[in-house]
Each structure stands twice: as C-alpha cells, then as structure tokens.
C-alpha cells in the first residue's frame, strides 16, 4: 500500500513526517501542495485535513493529519522497520511521553513563532521580522532550554537514552533557527548544543532535506 | 503502590488527571499545592516538575508531569481498570491520535486563554478580563468548533464512537467556559452542544469536582 505525504519542504510539520518515514526506511510519495495558490484551502485537500494545514498523510485507505499523530502512527505501525522511535518499557515510555508533550506544549509554540518571524515571514514576503515578538519568545525559550540543559544531564537524548520521536519532533524548528540569531540560545548551553549537533546530523534528516529541497 | 496527584482544583490540567483516575476506578491521594505562596516554584515541587506547573504525579517511584502524558500513562498502564480510554484497533487509535493532537495544539491554546481571561484572572484578582483578547480567541475557537461540528457527524465522540482520552482532555476547559459568555460558542452548534452535555455529565467528572471542590 502506498504511503503519500502531502506538504511543502518549508513546513516544519511536513519535514517532521518526512524525517520519520526515512528513519523507518519507508518508501513514500511526496505530493507538493501549491499553498501559494491556496490549494490547501480547497477541496480535495480539505477532505484530507479540515484545518487546511500541511501535512496530510495517506497509508492505503487510512488518512491522517497532525504531524505528531502521523509520526506516532508510523512508529507504532512500522515498529520493526528502521530504528525504534518509541520505547518498549512502560515507565520509560511514560517519561518519553512527558517530553513529547513538553515539545508540543512548551517548545513548539515558541520555536515555531521564532521560525516564522526570523525565517519564513521574510522569506515568503509576508513582512519584516517583528523584533519585539522575537525578544519575548527568545526570553521564554531560554527558560525552556535551561530545563532541557538539566534534563540532558540525566539522559543522552531528551526522552531517554536513545533517539526517539521526542528528539525527532524538535529537529525541523531547530534546523531553521540554526541559521538565525536564535542559534545563540542553543549554542550557549553545552548539552543542548551537543544534542542539536547530534540530531541535526541524523542521516535520515539530511536525506529528507536533500529529497525535498533539491 | 500509592498514586498521588499534586495540584489545585482550579487547574484544568489537574482536573484532567483527577477525572482520568476516577474513570479508571483508581484510588489516589490529592496533595494540595499552595500556589498562592509559590510552593510550585520551590523545591521539593520543582523536582517533580521543573516547569513549576501543576499537576505533578506519582505512582510509586514513577514521577510524571504534563497532564496529557499522565493520562496516557494511566490509560495504558491500567488498561483493565474502569472504562477503556484508548482504542485497541491501530487505525482507530491513529484517528484518535489526530484528535488528541487537535485538542492539544488547536483547542487548548484558545480555550485555556478564554478560561484565563473569563474565569481564572478575575477570580484570583489578577485584573479584569481583556475583551479584545476574548473577542480574538472566540473568533478563532469558532472555526475550530465548526470543524468539531462536522467531525461529530462522523462519530459520536470526537476521537471515535466511544468516550476516550480525546473527550476527557476537553472537559475541564469546557466546564469553566460553560459559566461564561463563551458558552454561546458551544450552544450554537447542535452536535457540539450535545457532546458537551454528554461529557460534562460523566459521573467520573462530577465525582472529581465533588472530591476536589468541597
């Protein structure tokens, strides 16, 4: 059954799913969504995702959206493919779940706003960076990264001792922010800095970039 | 092994966990956190949750935070207790995961801001309601609830045909908003309105309120 990802390379949520599929050695078809012409706001795309956002995902007759729901489906359904991205021990899985939620609830709202202001907004001509928003979000993200720095003294990766969905979910925003002044937030914390270097160097991530951005 | 929930009754995240434990027929000790005296910003609470937020959770030697990570741990670990709050079929579970993410990423940021402005902020003397924020968030929440109204034509509950964590995660914010002018957003959509009435009448939710708010 064919796997399809509908999205655009610039979308962090799209790249999250693509990177997951490559970590799991799964073949897929990438379907470019012409967002400039608002294809995502029209049918048939809206039947795949009523929120009119990329990515949407198909695996045979199963249709999904929300990038983190998709990666969890992939990690569970294709557990024996590629590397394990979830943990088998229930207590370790519970700890991992904490940091999945931290990424979604604490990191993403700040990092995605910074990615928007510093990278995407100027790139697509939606206006110039709002420095006041950047300052506010950088200050808030600093506090989150202080906690990450401490957590990374307890385990090599953020959700445990091996690379999991927790780390994978962070990569796309960190990738974009590493080309901005927000890089300093990550570089100034030794363990966070080493963790970023590690996860950005994942062959699956690099391969995903090459596949979509060529 | 004793289960402990550290929190306050007014906290939607605390009530999310309490309601889940009662749905699963699990005994627990409720530990009140004196947030007025900033107990949550000091040790030992910070060792339970470095983000200084309630709830924190203990099950024997396992310590967790982030309410949705806690409910998922409870639902998986105590699968044979009380009612099933997750789905066994992998494809149905994937659909359920979409709506778990929608709650966390789309509903919660808007509903919790409205709960803050309309209920909590005036109640704890942090100032008066900001009407401009309320207007903006109500408009955004309306669009989310339009999609809920459509989804509830496809299944009785938001994540499938039975009550699951998806619905449970929504209850605390909806409970608060039903005593505000934002109630109209829910009442004006017939299926959303019926769904709200159904989930707010859950005996576990009512019992949780009685247990904590007496």
């Amino acid at each position: 059954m064919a796997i399809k990802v509908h999205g655009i390379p610039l979308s962090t949520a799209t790249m999250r799913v693509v990177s997951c599929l490559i970590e799991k050695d799964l073949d897929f078809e990438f379907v470019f969504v012409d967002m400039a012409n608002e294809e995502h706001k029209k049918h048939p795309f809206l039947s795949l995702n009523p929120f009119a956002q990329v990515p949407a995902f198909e695996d045979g007759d199963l249709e999904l959206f929300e990038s983190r729901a998709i990666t969890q489906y992939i990690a569970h359904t294709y557990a024996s493919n590629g590397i394990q991205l979830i943990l088998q021990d229930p207590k370790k899985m519970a700890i991992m779940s904490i940091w999945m939620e931290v990424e979604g609830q604490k990191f993403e709202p700040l990092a995605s706003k910074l990615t928007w202001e510093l990278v995407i907004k100027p790139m697509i001509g939606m206006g110039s960076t709002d420095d006041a928003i950047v300052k506010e979000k950088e200050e808030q993200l600093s506090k989150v990264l202080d906690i990450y720095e401490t957590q990374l003294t307890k385990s090599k990766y953020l959700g445990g001792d091996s690379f999991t969905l927790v780390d994978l979910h962070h990569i796309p925003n960190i990738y974009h922010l590493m080309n901005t002044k927000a890089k300093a937030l990550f570089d100034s914390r030794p363990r966070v800095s080493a963790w970023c270097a590690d996860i950005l160097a994942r062959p699956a991530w690099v391969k995903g970039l090459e596949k979509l951005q060529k």
Side-chain angles (χ1 to χ4, degrees), chain A:
Chain A
M1 297 287 256
I3 294 177
K4 292 183 187 177
V5 179
H6 302 254
I8 61 169
L10 200 57
S11 145
T12 54
T14 300
M15 285 306 294
R16 193 172 288 125
V17 171
V18 164
S19 171
C20 182
L21 286 165
I22 298 175
E23 289 283 4
K24 299 300 276 181
D25 282 338
L26 291 164
D27 287 329
F28 62 96
E29 178 186 348
F30 186 75
V31 183
F32 180 78
V33 179
D34 186 357
M35 295 182 79
N37 284 316
E38 302 204 330
E39 187 184 339
H40 59 302
K41 295 184 181 176
K42 302 168 190 164
H43 284 282
F45 186 84
L46 280 182
S47 69
L48 287 170
N49 185 351
F51 288 94
Q53 292 175 330
V54 291
F57 176 88
E58 294 177 84
D59 186 2
D61 62 358
L62 181 68
E63 297 175 350
L64 301 176
F65 58 95
E66 284 291 333
S67 63
R68 295 167 187 82
I70 298 168
T71 60
Q72 289 180 72
Y73 164 77
I74 294 166
H76 282 96
T77 306
Y78 298 100
S80 59
N81 280 63
I83 66 151
Q84 273 287 355
L85 292 172
I86 47 177
L87 302 174
Q88 299 308 303
D89 177 83
K91 288 190 177 181
K92 288 182 179 172
M93 186 65 202
I95 302 293
M96 184 188 141
S97 292
I98 294 177
W99 296 95
M100 296 260 283
E101 291 297 326
V102 167
E103 187 278 330
Q105 296 287 329
K106 307 278 195 293
F107 181 85
E108 163 75 20
L110 304 174
S112 68
K113 193 73 184 170
L114 287 169
T115 297
W116 170 252
E117 288 294 337
L118 293 167
V119 182
I120 314 284
K121 196 166 110 178
M123 188 187 291
I124 64 174
M126 291 287 283
S128 56
T129 299
D130 183 325
D131 292 330
I133 290 179
V134 169
K135 184 168 182 289
E136 180 193 359
K137 299 302 170 188
E138 282 194 338
E139 285 171 3
Q140 293 171 344
L141 185 58
S142 286
K143 292 175 186 166
V144 173
L145 294 180
D146 281 342
I147 293 169
Y148 281 23
E149 184 72 7
T150 301
Q151 184 60 20
L152 290 166
T153 65
K154 299 175 186 171
S155 55
K156 183 178 177 190
Y157 291 93
L158 202 55
D161 286 322
S162 59
F163 177 84
T164 64
L165 286 184
V166 173
D167 311 292
L168 187 147
H169 288 178
H170 284 83
I171 299 177
N173 276 308
I174 293 176
Y175 168 78
H176 282 303
L177 293 177
M178 282 299 175
N179 292 313
T180 73
K181 73 187 195 69
K183 182 176 192 288
L185 299 179
F186 300 91
D187 286 353
S188 59
R189 293 170 173 85
R191 288 186 181 83
V192 168
S193 178
W195 170 70
C196 290
D198 183 323
I199 64 180
L200 287 169
R202 302 272 318 165
W205 173 253
V206 175
K207 193 174 164 187
L209 283 179
E210 287 169 355
K211 184 177 168 81
L212 265 61
Q213 298 191 343
K214 69 186 173 189

